[in-house]
Protein backbone atom coordinates (compact mmCIF):
# COMPACT_ATOMS: atom_id res chain seq x y z
CA UNK A 1 0.00 0.00 0.00
CA UNK A 2 2.78 2.43 0.87
CA UNK A 3 4.58 1.75 -2.37
CA UNK A 4 1.39 2.29 -4.34
CA UNK A 5 0.80 5.63 -2.65
CA UNK A 6 4.34 6.69 -3.42
CA UNK A 7 3.96 5.72 -7.07
CA UNK A 8 0.69 7.61 -7.33
CA UNK A 9 2.24 10.67 -5.70
CA UNK A 10 5.18 10.55 -8.08
CA UNK A 11 2.86 10.25 -11.06
CA UNK A 12 0.76 13.17 -9.84
CA UNK A 13 3.82 15.31 -9.30
CA UNK A 14 5.07 14.41 -12.77
CA UNK A 15 1.71 15.34 -14.29
CA UNK A 16 1.68 18.63 -12.42
CA UNK A 17 5.23 19.37 -13.57
CA UNK A 18 4.37 18.51 -17.17
CA UNK A 19 1.31 20.73 -17.09
CA UNK A 20 3.28 23.56 -15.49
CA UNK A 21 6.07 23.18 -18.04
CA UNK A 22 3.70 23.04 -20.98
CA UNK A 23 1.79 26.22 -20.11
CA UNK A 24 3.54 29.57 -20.32
CA UNK A 25 2.59 33.24 -20.57
CA UNK A 26 4.16 35.84 -22.84
CA UNK A 27 4.07 39.42 -21.58
CA UNK A 28 2.76 42.38 -23.54
CA UNK A 29 5.20 43.95 -26.01
CA UNK A 30 7.35 40.81 -26.03
CA UNK A 31 7.47 37.68 -28.16
CA UNK A 32 9.08 34.30 -27.51
CA UNK A 33 11.10 32.29 -30.01
CA UNK A 34 10.58 28.55 -29.56
CA UNK A 35 12.82 25.78 -30.90
CA UNK A 36 11.97 22.10 -31.18
CA UNK A 37 14.87 19.73 -30.84
CA UNK A 38 17.24 22.69 -31.38
CA UNK A 39 15.54 23.85 -34.57
CA UNK A 40 13.42 26.96 -35.01
CA UNK A 41 9.79 26.05 -34.55
CA UNK A 42 7.63 29.15 -34.10
CA UNK A 43 7.23 32.67 -32.72
CA UNK A 44 4.46 33.35 -30.19
CA UNK A 45 3.11 36.72 -29.10
CA UNK A 46 1.58 38.03 -25.88
CA UNK A 47 -0.86 35.71 -24.09
CA UNK A 48 -1.04 32.17 -22.73
CA UNK A 49 0.47 29.34 -24.78
CA UNK A 50 1.29 25.66 -24.59
CA UNK A 51 4.37 23.68 -25.55
CA UNK A 52 5.65 20.15 -25.33
CA UNK A 53 7.94 19.84 -22.32
CA UNK A 54 11.47 18.61 -22.98
CA UNK A 55 10.83 18.97 -26.72
CA UNK A 56 9.93 22.63 -27.18
CA UNK A 57 12.27 25.15 -25.61
CA UNK A 58 11.95 28.95 -25.28
CA UNK A 59 15.28 30.23 -26.52
CA UNK A 60 14.66 34.00 -26.55
CA UNK A 61 12.34 36.57 -25.00
CA UNK A 62 12.38 39.33 -27.63
CA UNK A 63 11.63 42.86 -26.37
CA UNK A 64 9.52 44.86 -28.84
CA UNK A 65 9.71 48.19 -27.02
CA UNK A 66 12.18 50.86 -28.07
CA UNK A 67 15.51 50.46 -26.28
CA UNK A 68 18.40 52.86 -25.78
CA UNK A 69 22.12 52.41 -25.57
CA UNK A 70 24.66 55.12 -24.77
CA UNK A 71 28.41 55.24 -25.24
CA UNK A 72 31.35 57.61 -25.63
CA UNK A 73 33.68 57.95 -28.59
CA UNK A 74 36.30 60.33 -29.94
CA UNK A 75 36.67 61.86 -33.40
CA UNK A 76 38.79 64.48 -35.12
CA UNK A 77 37.30 67.57 -36.77
CA UNK A 78 38.30 69.15 -40.05
CA UNK A 79 40.48 71.70 -38.26
CA UNK A 80 42.35 68.87 -36.49
CA UNK A 81 40.73 69.11 -33.05
CA UNK A 82 40.07 65.83 -31.24
CA UNK A 83 36.67 65.86 -29.54
CA UNK A 84 34.83 63.35 -27.39
CA UNK A 85 31.11 62.76 -27.86
CA UNK A 86 28.44 61.05 -25.81
CA UNK A 87 26.04 59.38 -28.25
CA UNK A 88 22.67 57.83 -27.44
CA UNK A 89 20.95 55.53 -29.93
CA UNK A 90 17.33 54.39 -29.78
CA UNK A 91 16.47 51.17 -31.56
CA UNK A 92 13.87 48.40 -31.61
CA UNK A 93 13.27 45.02 -33.17
CA UNK A 94 11.49 45.33 -36.50
CA UNK A 95 8.00 43.82 -36.51
CA UNK A 96 7.77 43.53 -40.27
CA UNK A 97 6.48 39.98 -40.97
CA UNK A 98 8.15 39.36 -44.34
CA UNK A 99 7.00 36.92 -46.97
CA UNK A 100 8.47 34.05 -44.97
CA UNK A 101 8.84 33.71 -41.23
CA UNK A 102 12.62 33.64 -41.64
CA UNK A 103 12.46 37.02 -43.37
CA UNK A 104 10.73 38.67 -40.41
CA UNK A 105 12.55 41.16 -38.25
CA UNK A 106 12.00 39.12 -35.08
CA UNK A 107 13.59 36.02 -36.61
CA UNK A 108 16.59 37.93 -37.95
CA UNK A 109 17.10 39.85 -34.68
CA UNK A 110 17.98 36.58 -32.95
CA UNK A 111 19.45 34.37 -35.65
CA UNK A 112 21.27 36.89 -37.86
CA UNK A 113 23.39 38.67 -35.27
CA UNK A 114 24.98 37.40 -32.07
CA UNK A 115 25.61 40.78 -30.37
CA UNK A 116 23.42 43.47 -31.98
CA UNK A 117 24.31 46.22 -29.49
CA UNK A 118 28.04 45.87 -30.05
CA UNK A 119 27.59 45.65 -33.82
CA UNK A 120 25.40 48.75 -33.83
CA UNK A 121 27.98 50.63 -31.78
CA UNK A 122 30.65 49.71 -34.33
CA UNK A 123 28.50 51.07 -37.16
CA UNK A 124 27.85 54.32 -35.27
CA UNK A 125 31.51 54.83 -34.44
CA UNK A 126 32.45 54.25 -38.08
CA UNK A 127 29.72 56.60 -39.34
CA UNK A 128 30.65 59.39 -36.91
CA UNK A 129 34.36 59.13 -37.56
CA UNK A 130 33.71 59.44 -41.29
CA UNK A 131 31.22 62.32 -40.90
CA UNK A 132 32.78 64.56 -38.24
CA UNK A 133 36.02 65.21 -40.21
CA UNK A 134 33.89 66.99 -42.83
CA UNK A 135 33.14 69.81 -40.34
CA UNK A 136 35.32 72.23 -38.42
CA UNK A 137 34.90 72.60 -34.68
CA UNK A 138 32.34 75.40 -34.73
CA UNK A 139 30.28 73.62 -37.39
CA UNK A 140 30.17 70.43 -35.31
CA UNK A 141 28.36 72.36 -32.57
CA UNK A 142 26.08 74.12 -35.06
CA UNK A 143 25.28 71.01 -37.12
CA UNK A 144 25.27 68.30 -34.44
CA UNK A 145 21.61 67.44 -35.08
CA UNK A 146 22.24 67.12 -38.80
CA UNK A 147 25.31 64.97 -38.10
CA UNK A 148 23.28 62.74 -35.78
CA UNK A 149 20.55 62.30 -38.41
CA UNK A 150 23.12 61.45 -41.08
CA UNK A 151 24.61 58.82 -38.77
CA UNK A 152 21.17 57.41 -38.02
CA UNK A 153 20.43 56.90 -41.71
CA UNK A 154 23.76 55.18 -42.32
CA UNK A 155 23.42 52.86 -39.34
CA UNK A 156 19.74 52.14 -40.07
CA UNK A 157 20.63 50.91 -43.56
CA UNK A 158 23.02 48.38 -42.01
CA UNK A 159 20.96 47.27 -39.02
CA UNK A 160 17.67 46.64 -40.87
CA UNK A 161 19.17 43.54 -42.45
CA UNK A 162 19.65 42.17 -38.94
CA UNK A 163 16.05 42.90 -37.96
CA UNK A 164 16.63 46.15 -36.07
CA UNK A 165 15.19 49.60 -36.74
CA UNK A 166 17.28 52.56 -35.62
CA UNK A 167 14.73 55.10 -34.38
CA UNK A 168 17.13 57.93 -33.60
CA UNK A 169 20.63 58.96 -32.64
CA UNK A 170 21.43 61.86 -30.33
CA UNK A 171 24.73 63.59 -29.73
CA UNK A 172 24.14 64.43 -26.09
CA UNK A 173 27.41 66.19 -25.34
CA UNK A 174 30.64 67.28 -27.03
CA UNK A 175 33.80 67.45 -24.96
CA UNK A 176 36.89 69.47 -25.87
CA UNK A 177 40.51 69.26 -24.75
CA UNK A 178 41.19 71.59 -21.83
CA UNK A 179 43.52 73.89 -23.77
CA UNK A 180 41.06 74.20 -26.67
CA UNK A 181 38.17 74.90 -24.31
CA UNK A 182 40.18 77.58 -22.50
CA UNK A 183 41.16 79.16 -25.81
CA UNK A 184 37.55 79.19 -27.00
CA UNK A 185 36.42 80.73 -23.73
CA UNK A 186 39.07 83.43 -24.09
CA UNK A 187 37.99 84.13 -27.66
CA UNK A 188 34.35 84.32 -26.65
CA UNK A 189 35.18 86.58 -23.70
CA UNK A 190 37.24 88.87 -25.94
CA UNK A 191 34.43 88.99 -28.49
CA UNK A 192 31.88 89.84 -25.82
CA UNK A 193 34.20 92.53 -24.41
CA UNK A 194 34.61 93.96 -27.91
CA UNK A 195 30.86 94.18 -28.35
CA UNK A 196 30.47 95.70 -24.89
CA UNK A 197 33.18 98.28 -25.62
CA UNK A 198 31.51 99.21 -28.89
CA UNK A 199 28.19 99.56 -27.11
CA UNK A 200 29.71 101.75 -24.40
CA UNK A 201 31.46 103.91 -27.01
CA UNK A 202 28.25 104.26 -28.99
CA UNK A 203 26.36 105.21 -25.83
CA UNK A 204 29.04 107.77 -24.92
CA UNK A 205 28.89 109.18 -28.44
CA UNK A 206 25.12 109.55 -28.22
CA UNK A 207 25.44 111.19 -24.80
CA UNK A 208 28.06 113.69 -25.99
CA UNK A 209 26.14 114.53 -29.16
CA UNK A 210 22.92 114.93 -27.19
CA UNK A 211 24.55 117.17 -24.61
CA UNK A 212 26.23 119.26 -27.32
CA UNK A 213 22.95 119.59 -29.20
CA UNK A 214 21.18 120.56 -25.98
CA UNK A 215 23.85 123.18 -25.17
CA UNK A 216 23.66 124.56 -28.69
CA UNK A 217 19.87 124.79 -28.50
CA UNK A 218 20.10 126.40 -25.05
CA UNK A 219 22.66 128.95 -26.25
CA UNK A 220 20.54 129.64 -29.31
CA UNK A 221 17.47 130.24 -27.18
CA UNK A 222 19.51 132.28 -24.71
CA UNK A 223 20.81 134.41 -27.56
CA UNK A 224 17.29 135.00 -28.77
CA UNK A 225 16.27 135.96 -25.25
CA UNK A 226 19.17 138.35 -24.87
CA UNK A 227 18.43 139.88 -28.24
CA UNK A 228 14.77 140.35 -27.31
CA UNK A 229 15.80 141.75 -23.93
CA UNK A 230 18.18 144.24 -25.49
CA UNK A 231 15.57 145.17 -28.05
CA UNK A 232 13.07 145.80 -25.27
CA UNK A 233 15.65 147.82 -23.28
CA UNK A 234 16.52 149.89 -26.31
CA UNK A 235 12.85 150.52 -27.00
CA UNK A 236 12.32 151.49 -23.35
CA UNK A 237 15.29 153.86 -23.43
CA UNK A 238 14.01 155.39 -26.62
CA UNK A 239 10.56 155.91 -25.15
CA UNK A 240 12.01 157.35 -21.92
CA UNK A 241 14.23 159.79 -23.80
CA UNK A 242 11.31 160.88 -25.94
CA UNK A 243 9.22 161.57 -22.81
CA UNK A 244 12.05 163.47 -21.15
CA UNK A 245 12.70 165.57 -24.27
CA UNK A 246 9.01 166.46 -24.48
CA UNK A 247 9.42 168.01 -21.00
CA UNK A 248 11.92 170.56 -22.42
CA UNK A 249 15.16 168.83 -21.46
CA UNK A 250 17.98 168.79 -24.01
CA UNK A 251 19.25 165.58 -25.45
CA UNK A 252 22.55 165.76 -23.58
CA UNK A 253 20.83 166.49 -20.26
CA UNK A 254 18.39 163.69 -20.89
CA UNK A 255 21.22 161.24 -21.56
CA UNK A 256 23.05 162.33 -18.41
CA UNK A 257 19.87 162.02 -16.35
CA UNK A 258 19.12 158.59 -17.74
CA UNK A 259 22.68 157.35 -17.01
CA UNK A 260 22.51 158.72 -13.47
CA UNK A 261 19.14 157.10 -12.87
CA UNK A 262 20.45 153.75 -14.08
CA UNK A 263 23.48 154.11 -11.82
CA UNK A 264 21.40 154.93 -8.70
CA UNK A 265 19.00 152.06 -9.43
CA UNK A 266 21.92 149.68 -9.77
CA UNK A 267 23.50 150.85 -6.52
CA UNK A 268 20.20 150.63 -4.67
CA UNK A 269 19.62 147.09 -5.90
CA UNK A 270 23.16 146.13 -4.95
CA UNK A 271 22.74 147.59 -1.47
CA UNK A 272 19.46 145.75 -1.03
CA UNK A 273 20.67 142.32 -2.15
CA UNK A 274 24.43 142.45 -1.57
CA UNK A 275 26.07 140.94 1.52
CA UNK A 276 29.27 143.02 1.53
CA UNK A 277 30.09 146.63 2.19
CA UNK A 278 31.28 148.30 -0.96
CA UNK A 279 32.69 151.74 -1.67
CA UNK A 280 32.31 152.98 -5.24
CA UNK A 281 34.79 155.62 -6.37
CA UNK A 282 35.13 157.42 -9.67
CA UNK A 283 37.98 156.44 -11.89
CA UNK A 284 39.38 159.99 -11.54
CA UNK A 285 39.83 161.09 -7.91
CA UNK A 286 40.13 164.71 -9.01
CA UNK A 287 36.49 164.62 -10.08
CA UNK A 288 34.99 163.36 -6.80
CA UNK A 289 33.60 166.85 -6.10
CA UNK A 290 31.62 166.70 -9.33
CA UNK A 291 29.41 163.84 -8.07
CA UNK A 292 27.36 166.23 -5.92
CA UNK A 293 27.08 168.69 -8.79
CA UNK A 294 25.81 165.88 -11.00
CA UNK A 295 23.17 164.94 -8.41
CA UNK A 296 21.99 168.57 -8.22
CA UNK A 297 21.87 168.77 -11.99
CA UNK A 298 19.79 165.59 -12.04
CA UNK A 299 17.42 167.05 -9.44
CA UNK A 300 16.89 170.16 -11.55
CA UNK A 301 16.27 168.05 -14.61
CA UNK A 302 13.57 166.07 -12.81
CA UNK A 303 11.85 169.31 -11.77
Amino acid sequence: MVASVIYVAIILLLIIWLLASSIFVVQQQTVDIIERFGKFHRIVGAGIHARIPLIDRIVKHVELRTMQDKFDLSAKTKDNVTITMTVAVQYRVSQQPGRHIMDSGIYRSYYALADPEDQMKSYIVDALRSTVPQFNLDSVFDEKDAIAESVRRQVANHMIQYGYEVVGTLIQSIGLPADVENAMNSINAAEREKIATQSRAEAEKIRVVTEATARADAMKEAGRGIAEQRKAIAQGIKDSLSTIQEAGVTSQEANELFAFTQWTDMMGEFAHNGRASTVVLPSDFQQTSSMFDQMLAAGKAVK
Side-chain angles (χ1 to χ4, degrees):
M1 288 294 295
V2 175
S4 298
V5 172
I6 294 173
Y7 290 146
V8 171
I10 293 174
I11 291 173
L12 289 175
L13 290 175
L14 182 60
I15 293 173
I16 293 173
W17 177 80
L18 289 174
L19 289 175
S21 300
S22 63
I23 303 299
F24 65 99
V25 175
V26 180
Q27 300 297 323
Q28 184 69 28
Q29 286 298 96
T30 59
V31 295
D32 285 358
I33 298 176
I34 300 175
E35 292 181 350
R36 177 170 291 178
F37 295 118
K39 183 180 179 181
F40 173 77
H41 177 56
R42 61 183 172 136
I43 297 173
V44 295
I48 186 169
H49 302 276
R51 60 173 178 158
I52 302 175
L54 303 178
I55 297 177
D56 294 340
R57 185 171 66 94
I58 300 174
V59 294
K60 179 68 175 179
H61 298 285
V62 180
E63 178 69 60
L64 299 180
R65 292 177 295 181
T66 300
M67 297 169 285
Q68 176 173 288
D69 194 11
K70 184 165 61 175
F71 51 89
D72 297 326
L73 60 91
S74 61
K76 186 172 288 188
T77 63
K78 188 176 182 179
D79 46 358
N80 208 32
V81 177
T82 300
I83 60 176
T84 58
M85 292 179 289
T86 300
V87 181
V89 55
Q90 291 85 34
Y91 61 97
R92 64 188 174 207
V93 174
S94 174
Q95 299 185 47
Q96 294 180 355
R99 291 179 297 179
H100 190 272
I101 188 64
M102 294 184 180
D103 295 329
S104 67
I106 296 173
Y107 180 92
R108 286 180 287 130
S109 69
Y110 178 69
Y111 290 103
L113 200 60
D115 191 346
E117 290 81 7
D118 189 65
Q119 184 63 54
M120 186 162 46
K121 178 179 178 180
S122 298
Y123 282 134
I124 290 175
V125 170
D126 181 69
L128 276 173
R129 287 181 175 170
S130 62
T131 303
V132 170
Q134 302 175 21
F135 300 87
N136 57 35
L137 183 59
D138 292 335
S139 298
V140 169
F141 284 94
D142 295 337
E143 303 292 336
K144 77 180 181 63
D145 292 339
I147 294 173
E149 177 59 22
S150 174
V151 171
R152 187 200 67 78
R153 289 195 299 268
Q154 295 181 53
V155 176
N157 291 335
H158 291 292
M159 293 302 297
I160 193 63
Q161 61 183 321
Y162 301 114
Y164 284 91
E165 297 176 353
V166 179
V167 178
T169 55
L170 301 173
I171 300 176
Q172 295 184 326
S173 64
I174 300 175
L176 302 175
D179 55 343
V180 175
E181 186 173 359
N182 293 334
M184 290 186 67
N185 290 336
S186 299
I187 293 172
N188 292 333
E191 186 65 23
R192 288 193 294 269
E193 180 61 26
K194 177 182 177 182
I195 295 173
T197 301
Q198 291 175 344
S199 298
R200 287 194 295 267
E202 187 66 24
E204 181 65 17
K205 176 183 176 181
I206 294 173
R207 185 188 66 81
V208 171
V209 171
T210 302
E211 290 181 355
T213 303
R215 286 196 300 269
D217 292 342
M219 293 175 66
K220 182 177 180 180
E221 294 299 324
R224 289 179 179 176
I226 292 173
E228 293 295 330
Q229 181 185 21
R230 290 177 178 176
K231 182 178 179 181
I233 291 173
Q235 186 64 39
I237 293 173
K238 179 181 178 181
D239 295 341
S240 298
L241 290 176
S242 298
T243 302
I244 293 172
Q245 289 176 355
E246 290 176 357
V249 180
T250 63
S251 298
Q252 182 177 358
E253 291 174 341
N255 289 332
E256 291 176 354
L257 176 61
F258 182 77
F260 181 75
T261 302
Q262 290 291 95
W263 181 80
T264 54
D265 289 342
M266 180 270 293
M267 293 304 294
E269 184 68 21
F270 179 79
H272 177 72
N273 296 325
R275 296 183 180 179
S277 298
T278 306
V279 178
V280 181
L281 298 176
S283 60
D284 187 358
F285 287 97
Q286 295 179 357
Q287 297 181 1
T288 55
S289 60
S290 64
M291 294 178 63
F292 183 71
D293 296 336
Q294 294 174 6
M295 294 176 65
L296 291 178
K300 294 178 180 178
V302 171
K303 294 179 181 179

